[in-house]
């Protein structure tokens, strides 16, 4: 009786504990629970919940038998508009034609974009942690240091036909295809040459993809970097999908990176999915635009907002495509005195497509919001001259576009048509400055700003892309104050210097004299991005930038000579930063609304930073602006210069500064200027008078006489004395 009573008590306590666990799992948001608790509470069998109006098919397959995994029904993809091709398929289907006659256009599940978490990836074995299932993502990079934490693929612990890697979609999904790559590595060659595909509803009973002759053996890779797409003969609906390598490179081992194509089916009971869905209310053109479509979109924006937009080009690409830009301002085509100039550029690497589309979305958004009277956007346009250059390397983009969003690999289209990396093709002015500073007795003095471009770089024989020369001419013509170049493949904001000062190091924090300003500018973008400063976010590839809040000094990441950021800082007044907007360089079209939501606020906030610091006009006593006057800040070894009208802008963090001005032929002047925390640059004007010598020269020139130099006078006086003797 005592034992029976104890057993009943234990049973009651266990029942109470399970009920309590159920209550906790319902009360705590799924994102806030422990990851392992998520796996337990979210492991329900999705096939046990019938869809409204749909017959329930229990899964009764035995291992090794072809069970009732359902072929896909006609269904729209949630979250984005169906394409013309899909609408045509639906129309044909109504006429009695099967939708499966045409391959379904399902997007990637998100291994590359990290939508699929590490906990959704499993494998039979792994060679080591750094080669675990969580590293089996399409285009993941190992970097130079292939180590126990960050390597370039999933690699099985054994080479036999019983190995597998599995993806849990966490909901019923219409699987349509698989994309594979080999291992990213500088030192080894590993890839899978053939594989089977299996699907399951419970991760225990599996059904292989079959055709009339038996299990389908899909052809894999013939080298490690080029992605290979295989479409399933018939789309299948299941929750889990498993890749089973059957053969591999004979001199290597089983290693894979992959992406799964599939359309998640609607599931109102799936709290996890509903909690993590991202939608946008902006009515924008969310698609990838080729060159002709990009040009047409610019025309559409200009037609909608003719009073605030202007289309122009800064030059041509190697293949003769014009590099188009859109200007957004209340007086387009005109530099207004006292109004700062800002730019975004994208596509220096032609295959980094997300930045290009974000800029096209931004110009649509700003036009629409201006017309709607959004005070924030109206104020920004009235007080700023904004330039948007979406495609610096249209030749490279064309190559990537033809391959498609998932099939271009990591580098197809990165370089210009003549094989040059635009991002690192600018003159190396860092070395000139640092050599001059290190050799103080050197006769050749290099200024700390507006360093001239070396003659060798300007020669016709120099290895300089025509696109690079066009950007340099553009930057020299327009007095930009702040700029951002949008790149892809990572999620971080990089600020200069990008080149290490020591020739013996490949990574070393190398700050500019304006390091605090650059760090603030980088943080202003990263902190307002939806993911960059999220501590729960996994690293894209090998670097975890969370310790610096989603920002990084370029040289401490990897050294680069001749970057656009360093050149802009040392040759012009513009503070330039590189903004890496996503892990996936070329995301699928269906991802664009979410990527827009991730970056929209950041894009606007970063533009607003152009109004931080001090601004003013340097005039003479007659009220005329003095061009090319040098503006210096005490304690900061980097100066800027006034524009053609004598106006200037100097980015500074809040604080009190002693600001000086000097110009040839004028007396120098200083004053104290205070920068506040509120948005809006502090006005700091200067009126300076000509020096006595300059006034004398002006008077002499006016009356047709030239003043004698002091040294010439002394020589003549000495000659007269000798004649007397």
């Amino acid at each position: 009786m005592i034992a029976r009573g104890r057993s009943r008590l234990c049973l009651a306590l266990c029942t109470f504990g399970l009920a309590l666990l159920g209550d906790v799992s319902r009360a705590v948001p799924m994102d806030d629970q422990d990851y392992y608790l998520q796996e337990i509470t979210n492991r329900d069998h999705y096939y046990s919940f019938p869809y409204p109006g749909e017959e329930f098919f229990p899964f009764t397959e035995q291992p090794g038998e072809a069970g009732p995994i359902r072929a896909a029904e006609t269904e729209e993809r949630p979250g984005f508009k169906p394409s013309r091709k899909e609408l045509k398929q639906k129309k044909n289907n109504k006429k009695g034609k099967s939708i499966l006659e045409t391959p379904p256009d399902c997007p990637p599940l998100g291994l590359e974009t990290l939508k699929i978490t590490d906990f959704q990836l499993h494998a039979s074995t792994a060679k080591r942690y750094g080669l675990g299932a969580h590293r089996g993502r399409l285009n993941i990079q190992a970097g130079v240091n292939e180590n126990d934490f960050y390597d370039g693929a999933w690699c099985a612990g054994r080479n036999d036909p019983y190995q597998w890697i599995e993806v849990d979609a966490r909901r019923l999904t219409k699987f349509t295809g698989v994309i594979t790559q080999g291992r990213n590595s500088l030192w080894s060659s590993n890839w899978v040459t053939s594989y089977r595909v299996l699907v399951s509803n419970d991760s225990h009973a599996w059904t292989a993809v079959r055709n009339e002759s038996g299990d389908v053996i899909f052809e894999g890779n013939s080298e490690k970097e080029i992605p290979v797409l295989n479409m399933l003969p018939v789309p299948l609906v299941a929750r889990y999908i498993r890749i089973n390598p059957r053969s591999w490179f004979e001199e290597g081992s089983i290693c894979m990176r992959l992406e799964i194509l599939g359309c998640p089916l609607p599931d109102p009971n799936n709290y996890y999915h509903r909690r993590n869905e991202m939608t946008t209310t902006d009515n924008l053109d969310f698609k990838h635009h080729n060159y002709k479509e990009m040009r047409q979109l610019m025309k559409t924006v200009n037609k909608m907002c003719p009073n605030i937009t202007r289309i122009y080009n800064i030059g041509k690409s190697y293949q003769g495509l014009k590099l188009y830009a859109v200007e957004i301002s209340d007086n387009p085509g005109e530099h207004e005195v006292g109004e700062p100039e800002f730019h975004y550029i994208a596509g220096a690497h032609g295959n980094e497509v997300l930045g290009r589309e974000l800029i096209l979305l931004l110009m649509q958004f700003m036009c629409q919001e201006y017309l709607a009277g959004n005070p924030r956007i109206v104020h920004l346009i009235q007080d700023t001259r904004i330039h948007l250059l979406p495609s610096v390397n249209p030749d490279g983009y064309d190559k990537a576009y033809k391959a498609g969003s998932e099939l271009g690999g990591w580098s197809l289209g990165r370089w210009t048509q003549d094989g040059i990396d635009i991002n690192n093709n600018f003159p190396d002015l860092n070395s000139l400055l640092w050599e001059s500073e290190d050799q103080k007795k050197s006769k050749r003095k290099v200024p700390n700003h507006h360093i001239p471009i070396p003659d060798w770089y300007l020669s016709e024989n120099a290895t300089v892309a025509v696109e690079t020369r066009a950007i340099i001419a553009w930057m020299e013509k327009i007095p930009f104050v702040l700029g951002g170049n949008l790149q892809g493949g990572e999620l971080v904001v990089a600020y200069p210097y990008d080149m290490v000062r020591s020739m013996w190091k490949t990574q070393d924090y190398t700050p500019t004299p304006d390091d605090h300003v650059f760090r603030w500018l980088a943080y202003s973008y990263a902190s307002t991005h939806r993911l960059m400063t999220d501590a729960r976010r996994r690293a894209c590839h090998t670097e975890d930038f969370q310790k610096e809040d989603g920002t990084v000094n370029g040289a401490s990441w990897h050294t680069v000579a001749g970057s656009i950021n360093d050149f802009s800082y040392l040759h012009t007044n513009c503070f330039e930063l590189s903004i890496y907007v996503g892990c996936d360089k070329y995301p699928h079209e269906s991802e664009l609304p979410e990527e827009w939501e991730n970056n929209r606020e950041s894009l606007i906030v970063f533009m607003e930073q152009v109004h931080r610091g001090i601004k003013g006009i340097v005039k003479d006593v007659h009220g005329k602006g003095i061009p090319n006057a040098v503006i210096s800040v005490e304690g900061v070894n980097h100066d800027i210069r006034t524009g053609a009208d004598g106006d200037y802008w100097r980015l500074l963090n809040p604080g009190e500064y002693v600001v000086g001005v000097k110009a040839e032929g004028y007396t120098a002047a200083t004053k104290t200027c205070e920068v506040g925390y509120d948005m809006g640059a502090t006005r700091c004007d200067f009126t300076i008078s000509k020096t006595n010598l300059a006034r004398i020269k002006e008077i002499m020139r006016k009356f047709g006489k030239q003043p004698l130099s002091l040294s010439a006078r002394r020589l003549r006086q000495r000659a007269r004395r000798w004649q007397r003797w």
Side-chain angles (χ1 to χ4, degrees), residues 1-232:
M1 290 294 291
I2 295 175
R4 187 179 299 174
R6 287 177 178 175
S7 63
R8 289 178 178 175
L9 178 60
C10 290
L11 180 60
L13 289 173
C14 290
T15 304
F16 175 77
L18 288 172
L20 183 60
L21 176 60
D23 289 338
V24 169
S25 66
R26 284 192 295 270
V28 181
M30 188 65 71
D31 284 357
D32 299 331
Q33 295 177 28
D34 181 86
Y35 277 118
Y36 294 100
L37 182 58
Q38 285 187 37
E39 289 295 296
I40 294 170
T41 58
N42 198 47
R43 205 71 171 178
D44 296 325
H45 299 299
Y46 287 85
Y47 56 82
S48 64
F49 299 104
Y51 294 122
E54 178 180 336
E55 187 179 352
F56 172 52
F57 295 95
F59 188 76
T60 56
E61 177 198 12
Q62 298 300 320
E65 296 181 4
I69 294 288
R70 293 180 288 121
E73 293 88 356
T74 305
E75 188 153 5
E76 272 191 29
R77 290 174 289 165
F80 54 93
K81 297 178 181 179
S83 64
R84 292 180 180 176
K85 183 177 179 181
E86 291 172 307
L87 292 173
K88 186 176 180 180
Q89 289 173 1
K90 291 175 71 177
K91 186 176 180 181
N92 291 338
N93 197 43
K94 290 180 180 179
K95 295 179 180 179
K97 295 182 180 179
S98 171
I99 191 173
L100 301 178
E101 291 178 6
T102 306
D105 182 22
C106 282
L109 292 188
L111 276 79
E112 184 175 8
T113 61
L114 306 182
K115 269 192 169 183
I116 297 295
T117 69
D118 290 350
F119 292 98
Q120 292 173 258
L121 300 173
H122 308 278
S124 52
T125 59
K127 190 168 289 187
R128 61 173 185 269
Y129 177 79
L131 294 169
H134 65 291
R135 301 296 294 177
R137 301 172 181 272
L138 190 72
N139 286 323
I140 202 165
Q141 301 295 294
V144 178
N145 302 316
E146 300 172 20
N147 54 42
D148 288 340
F149 289 98
Y150 302 110
D151 216 315
W154 161 68
C155 289
R158 300 187 300 272
N159 290 332
D160 61 49
Y162 305 107
Q163 304 304 309
W164 49 263
I165 182 171
E166 173 188 315
V167 180
D168 175 8
R170 281 184 170 163
R171 63 188 296 184
L172 282 178
T173 300
K174 181 176 71 174
F175 296 117
T176 60
V178 178
I179 304 173
T180 59
Q181 280 176 312
R183 176 184 174 185
N184 175 251
S185 173
L186 295 173
W187 321 110
S188 60
S189 297
N190 304 285
W191 60 83
V192 170
T193 56
S194 68
Y195 59 89
R196 291 194 309 159
V197 176
L198 303 94
V199 292
S200 172
N201 278 337
D202 60 1
S203 78
H204 297 294
W206 293 88
T207 298
V209 174
R210 301 171 63 88
N211 57 20
E212 297 79 4
S213 58
D215 292 356
V216 178
I217 303 298
F218 294 95
E219 185 176 349
N221 300 85
S222 57
E223 57 90 64
K224 57 188 176 183
E225 288 299 334
I226 299 177
V228 173
L229 166 65
N230 281 297
M231 301 299 294
L232 304 187

Side-chain angles (χ1 to χ4, degrees), residues 24 57 110 238 264 269 288 359 411 430 515 564 586 589 608 630 704:
V24 169
F57 295 95
N269 298 312
H288 288 297
I359 288 182
S411 59
N430 304 58
D515 189 57
I564 185 174
Y586 196 156
E589 203 166 87
E608 291 172 335
V630 177

Side-chain angles (χ1 to χ4, degrees), residues 79-81 279-289 297 357-358 361-362 364-365 588-597 600:
F80 54 93
K81 297 178 181 179
T279 57
T280 182
T281 58
D282 295 328
N283 183 24
L284 307 175
D285 190 18
F286 293 106
K287 60 165 287 185
H288 288 297
H289 299 80
L297 179 61
E357 295 304 329
L358 287 175
L361 291 168
L362 180 63
Q364 297 173 64
F365 176 79
H588 189 270
E589 203 166 87
S590 62
E591 298 291 333
L592 293 179
E594 181 170 348
E595 293 294 355
W596 167 246
E597 288 295 323
R600 180 183 59 190

